[in-house]
């Protein structure tokens, strides 16, 4: 039997073939083939506010259902600070493998214009997954400390006050900050802005009388409105909240062009594989559209959404442009 020798050229051909096969296998594993097995470990959902606020409540409601759907725990991590930008920065720098996600909100589209030195670009550093819910904001006051039943009566008190009345927000560059600024400008009054790291500590101080009012989302203040400790004076969206049907909109109360509500949605770091993003969207939308999740949202004054990735991307783009104009006119900046 004759022995067969490979020439140097033949060996090179074999080596190149093996190399090409290895590259192909690696590509498959890093793409579709690998993503088919995702997730194989717990998924982290970063909330950029303190516990107890609407972002936190929605994230935990979604996480509970999603854990069963994905077959892996979805762990909510609160990373508050800098008007929601600290948590966003953490996720922007995370490995884009689908295991670290951001519970984002409309605040991030505002922060893009307010903060001049952000380490990330909200539209380039993240991949939208889906919008979870829309929650109206509401002007509320401490019922025991502030004697007003309408926005007009509150404005009259502010004009008579020897010191600027304080309103609390979830931080600089959040929607609550913007609404408070617009409310003060339209009514020709000065209000002192007091930023917090989330609705939890803000609501505590509102109940304690440290701030006179807030323009927070309905969810964290609803139980206190129902108990009578807080008084709702007006909803900031164009239509009334289903959770507060007897509370007029600010437009109905005599103000102009108020149609500002807070949406919340999930995003992943840029570079996350497409099939992982698609699976995330599919599983989340399934949860969001389920009757029990919708009922749970309705009880806290939230409207379930569950849209496509492209629809959420358009929403982010539209709001970024919309708020950039408002912020420029109001001259709101944070270094």
């Amino acid at each position: 039997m004759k022995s067969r020798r490979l020439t140097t050229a033949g060996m090179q051909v074999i080596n190149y073939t093996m190399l090409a096969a290895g590259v192909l296998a690696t590509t498959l594993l890093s793409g579709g083939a690998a993503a088919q097995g995702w997730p194989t470990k717990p998924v982290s959902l970063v909330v950029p506010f303190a516990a107890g606020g609407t972002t936190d409540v929605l994230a935990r409601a979604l996480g509970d259902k999603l854990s069963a759907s994905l077959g892996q725990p979805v762990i909510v991590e609160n990373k508050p600070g800098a008007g929601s930008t600290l948590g966003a920065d953490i996720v922007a720098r995370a490995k884009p493998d689908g295991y670290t996600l951001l519970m984002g909100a409309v605040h991030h589209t505002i922060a893009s214009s307010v903060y001049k030195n952000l380490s990330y670009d909200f539209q380039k550093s993240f991949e939208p997954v889906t919008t979870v819910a829309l929650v109206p904001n509401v002007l509320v006051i401490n019922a025991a400390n502030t004697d007003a039943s309408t926005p007009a009566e509150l404005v009259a008190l502010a004009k008579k006050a020897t010191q600027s009345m304080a309103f609390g927000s979830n931080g600089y560059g959040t929607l609550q900050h913007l609404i408070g600024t617009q409310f003060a400008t339209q009514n020709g009054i000065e209000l002192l802005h007091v930023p917090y790291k989330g609705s939890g500590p803000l609501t505590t101080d509102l109940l304690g009388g440290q701030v006179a009012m807030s323009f927070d989302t309905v969810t964290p203040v609803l139980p206190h409105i129902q108990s009578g400790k807080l008084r709702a004076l007006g909803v900031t969206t164009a239509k009334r909240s289903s959770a507060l049907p007897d509370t007029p909109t600010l437009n109905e109360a005599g103000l102009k062009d108020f149609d500002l509500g807070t949406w919340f949605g999930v995003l992943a770091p840029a570079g996350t594989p497409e099939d992982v993003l698609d699976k995330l969207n599919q599983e989340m939308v399934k949860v969001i559209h389920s009757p029990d999740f919708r009922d749970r949202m309705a009880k806290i004054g939230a409207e379930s959404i569950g849209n496509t990735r492209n629809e959420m991307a358009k929403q982010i783009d539209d709001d970024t442009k919309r708020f950039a104009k408002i912020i420029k006119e109001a001259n709101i900046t944070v270094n």
Side-chain angles (χ1 to χ4, degrees):
M1 180 172 163
K2 294 183 178 180
S3 61
R4 299 172 64 184
R5 290 187 177 182
L6 290 174
T7 63
T8 302
M11 288 291 292
Q12 288 177 337
V13 169
I14 291 175
N15 288 339
Y16 288 144
T17 302
M18 292 175 65
L19 178 61
V23 170
L24 177 60
T26 301
T27 302
L28 288 172
L29 286 172
S30 63
Q36 286 176 9
W38 180 93
T40 58
K41 60 182 182 179
V43 175
S44 174
L45 182 55
V46 174
V47 171
F49 291 108
T54 307
T55 320
D56 182 68
V57 171
L58 294 183
R60 293 181 189 280
L62 178 66
D64 287 345
K65 295 288 186 181
L66 201 58
S67 294
S69 177
L70 294 177
Q72 290 289 343
V74 175
I75 302 170
V76 174
E77 297 184 38
N78 296 91
K79 301 292 183 181
S84 77
T85 64
L86 179 61
D89 175 69
I90 291 171
V91 178
R93 292 185 286 105
K95 186 177 180 180
D97 55 8
Y99 290 103
T100 305
L101 307 173
L102 173 69
M103 190 65 175
V106 67
H107 312 298
H108 293 104
T109 65
I110 299 170
S112 298
S113 294
V114 173
Y115 289 83
K116 300 304 180 184
N117 298 309
L118 285 179
S119 59
Y120 61 86
D121 183 313
F122 192 59
Q123 291 185 271
K124 295 180 180 179
S125 302
F126 296 94
E127 296 285 355
V129 177
T130 190
T131 308
V132 178
L134 173 69
V135 186
N137 290 63
V138 59
L139 166 57
V140 290
I141 59 172
N142 184 308
N145 293 356
T146 306
D147 187 18
S149 299
T150 66
E153 290 179 2
L154 180 64
V155 169
L157 286 176
K159 288 182 176 179
K160 292 178 183 177
T162 55
Q163 295 182 354
S164 297
M165 295 179 71
F167 79 94
S169 81
N170 280 355
Y172 285 108
T174 59
L175 186 64
Q176 291 95 319
H177 179 194
L178 208 61
I179 292 172
T181 301
Q182 186 171 333
F183 181 84
T185 301
Q186 278 200 22
N187 288 289
I189 58 177
E190 288 187 8
L191 295 177
L192 175 64
H193 174 223
V194 182
Y196 290 84
K197 290 185 177 182
S199 295
L202 164 57
T203 303
T204 298
D205 273 10
L206 180 60
L207 291 167
Q210 280 73 34
V211 290
M213 70 191 85
S214 80
F215 299 85
D216 210 343
T217 47
V218 170
T219 304
V221 295
L222 184 58
H224 306 295
I225 294 172
Q226 293 169 336
S227 72
K229 293 180 180 179
L230 298 180
R231 183 179 299 134
L233 302 186
V235 177
T236 66
T237 44
K239 64 179 183 178
R240 296 191 182 195
S241 167
S242 59
L244 296 170
D246 296 327
T247 302
T249 68
L250 290 180
N251 290 341
E252 290 173 329
L255 280 79
K256 297 179 180 179
D257 303 324
F258 260 99
D259 187 14
L260 298 169
T262 303
W263 58 258
F264 302 86
V266 178
L267 302 99
T272 301
E274 286 291 315
D275 45 0
V276 171
L277 292 170
D278 287 339
K279 184 173 182 180
L280 275 168
N281 175 270
Q282 179 183 359
E283 296 300 328
M284 287 186 187
V285 169
K286 189 187 306 179
V287 167
I288 295 166
H289 288 176
S290 64
D292 55 340
F293 189 85
R294 284 183 178 276
D295 289 345
R296 186 171 180 179
M297 292 299 99
K299 289 177 181 178
I300 60 173
E303 176 189 348
S304 300
I305 304 295
N307 54 8
T308 67
R309 291 169 52 201
N310 287 337
E311 286 170 339
M312 186 182 182
K314 184 179 186 305
Q315 181 179 36
I316 289 172
D317 185 56
D318 289 346
D319 277 353
T320 300
K321 293 174 181 175
R322 172 192 182 193
F323 289 119
K325 183 175 182 294
I326 295 174
I327 289 162
K328 184 178 180 180
E329 292 172 351
N331 194 29
I332 301 173
T333 58
V334 178
N335 293 324

